[in-house]
Amino acid sequence: MARFEVKLPKMGESVAEATITSWLKSVGDTIELDEAIVEIATDKVDSEVPSEVEGTLVEVLYDNDAVVKVGETIAIIETSNKGTEIEEKSISKEVEKNADEIEKNVQEIVQSTTIEKTSASGKFFSPLVRNIATTEGISMEELETITGTGTDNRVTKNDILDYINNGRKSSVLEKKEITPKIEEPKVEKVADKAVNIETKAETKNAVATVSVNGDDEIIEMSRMGKLIAHHMVDSVQTSAHVQSFIEVDVTNIVKWRDRVKDQFLAREGEKITYTPIFMQAVAKAIKQFPMINISVAGDKIIKKKAINLGMAAALADGNLIVPVIKNADQLNLVGITRAVNDLAERARKGQLKPDEIQGGTYTVTNVGSFGSVFGTPIINQPQVAILALGAVRKVPAVIETPEGDFIGIRHKMFISHSYDHRVVNGALGGMFIKAIKETLEAWDVNAEF
């Protein structure tokens, strides 16, 4: 009998650890080859860890909600296959081979924050916790006061987020109570205003009290829901959001798709929708206006060379996930169509890999799929812009011809562009979506694919 160590697999260049959310198998259960044994979660995506061998699960080394580093052993499977020991050694060598790379990733994360890995008292903090602490302005002294629920009383991601959302607000108020110095008022109304200012200063960070009646239902937010909520609030607090809107006549595109969709499916085995056409137009516009394809790091701008388009996809539980089409500008329409269909399908099934939702440089969301005419989407940090596609509608429109103007029925839509006004001015934001409009309206209804 041989014992096979199940290790936490590598899940992307920037992922150094994961949280065990649920064991799908118990000690004593028989395990088949490639059968999922545990569900794990990172701050990027949820996934399952399959077994690389057949056998019996004899030991589970971590409980649910434990935070585990990449490459650590999480379970032991007993197998009668003699070749397993050789395979285990081979896999161990592969893990060792990747160890330097994993350590490099961890070091990069550590260097990006001012919070040390270990406090003066010897308490260890994970890279993710230190990142959140730096972003929220939490000092090492304050971090040490947080009660940890992880292994060896380590502070987990949920611990620090709960502290920020609940405990810290009141404690910060107590520590930083503002008592403005008010000069002796000459007019009574001025004194009233000063008192109001003081009251607002004291209650600025107060948590709103929500009354719950007997018939109300209290629903716990999902892990992903909490992450999305935190990410959205952080984005609004980081970027100066402004929007530009433009109406696009997509009649030629509608006619072209109606003409080729059956032929496209027969030849390529893929359904052609409007989304790949729009994504191709966005990639073309980014090449024309590369300063949309940037990120902000302090007082520096990072201009991205790769054009990696994120496409927001709705999940069955109502949440959203943003898989990424890498190097979208290098794909033709057939290639983008395959990528869009594949990522959307696997997003709905929860089968995306961590690498497939990382590295986006610009995001597109299709609010029109829910019937919305336009929207004002929140920027997906650390990007600086996001595009919302409205519903395609038949509308009466003025059509200009050499013989004069007349009213006709056209297919039109609005596209909405949210961008970070710290680094993208109105001219650039407006010219970018105008370029997309011109590409879409110039579509050749007789074009081949």
Side-chain angles (χ1 to χ4, degrees), residues 244 246 281-293 309 362-364 385-387 415-419 424-439:
S244 294
I246 199 165
V282 170
K284 180 181 177 181
I286 290 176
K287 292 196 70 132
Q288 187 177 348
F289 298 99
M291 290 307 291
I292 287 290
N293 203 48
L309 298 184
Y362 187 91
T363 298
V364 178
I386 181 172
L387 192 76
I415 56 177
S416 315
H417 190 211
S418 293
Y419 46 95
V424 180
N425 58 34
L428 176 57
M431 288 189 296
F432 177 75
I433 55 172
K434 185 181 178 184
I436 297 174
K437 169 187 171 75
E438 291 171 350
T439 296

Side-chain angles (χ1 to χ4, degrees), residues 275-414:
T275 301
I277 300 171
F278 298 147
M279 296 296 250
Q280 189 179 56
V282 170
K284 180 181 177 181
I286 290 176
K287 292 196 70 132
Q288 187 177 348
F289 298 99
M291 290 307 291
I292 287 290
N293 203 48
I294 63 173
S295 291
V296 180
D299 58 356
K300 293 181 175 59
I301 293 174
I302 301 172
K303 187 178 177 183
K304 303 290 185 177
K305 183 177 181 180
I307 298 177
N308 300 334
L309 298 184
M311 44 172 276
L315 302 177
D317 60 2
N319 288 316
L320 288 174
I321 196 166
V322 186
V324 177
I325 302 173
K326 303 291 176 65
N327 299 309
D329 57 313
Q330 299 177 19
L331 300 175
N332 61 16
L333 185 59
V334 174
I336 293 181
T337 300
R338 292 187 189 281
V340 166
N341 292 348
D342 173 58
L343 291 172
E345 178 67 18
R346 289 192 291 113
R348 285 190 289 268
K349 293 180 179 179
Q351 297 175 345
L352 292 173
K353 301 174 183 177
D355 274 345
E356 293 174 325
I357 58 170
Q358 298 181 55
T361 60
Y362 187 91
T363 298
V364 178
T365 179
N366 187 1
V367 299
S369 61
F370 305 107
S372 297
V373 179
F374 53 78
T376 55
I378 297 175
I379 297 168
N380 186 15
Q381 299 294 329
Q383 299 165 27
V384 298
I386 181 172
L387 192 76
L389 306 172
V392 175
R393 302 168 300 134
K394 287 183 178 181
V395 296
V398 175
I399 302 173
E400 298 178 354
T401 70
E403 291 75 26
D405 297 345
F406 67 92
I407 301 296
I409 303 300
R410 306 292 290 178
H411 287 86
K412 290 196 172 188
M413 65 180 292
F414 284 98

Side-chain angles (χ1 to χ4, degrees), residues 184-251:
E184 185 176 347
K186 296 180 181 179
V187 183
E188 187 175 353
K189 289 184 178 180
V190 174
D192 292 339
K193 290 181 180 179
V195 172
N196 288 337
I197 292 171
E198 182 178 1
T199 303
K200 289 178 181 178
E202 291 175 350
T203 61
K204 182 179 179 181
N205 293 323
V207 178
T209 303
V210 179
S211 60
V212 180
N213 298 322
D215 296 332
D216 295 340
E217 180 183 3
I218 299 175
I219 302 173
E220 180 71 21
M221 291 178 67
S222 66
R223 187 193 65 84
M224 181 174 285
K226 291 178 182 178
L227 287 172
I228 292 173
H230 180 74
H231 189 58
M232 293 298 97
V233 171
D234 182 60
S235 180
V236 172
Q237 293 175 344
T238 299
S239 297
H241 281 65
V242 293
Q243 287 82 26
S244 294
F245 308 91
I246 199 165
E247 190 176 30
V248 184
D249 188 330
V250 291
T251 304

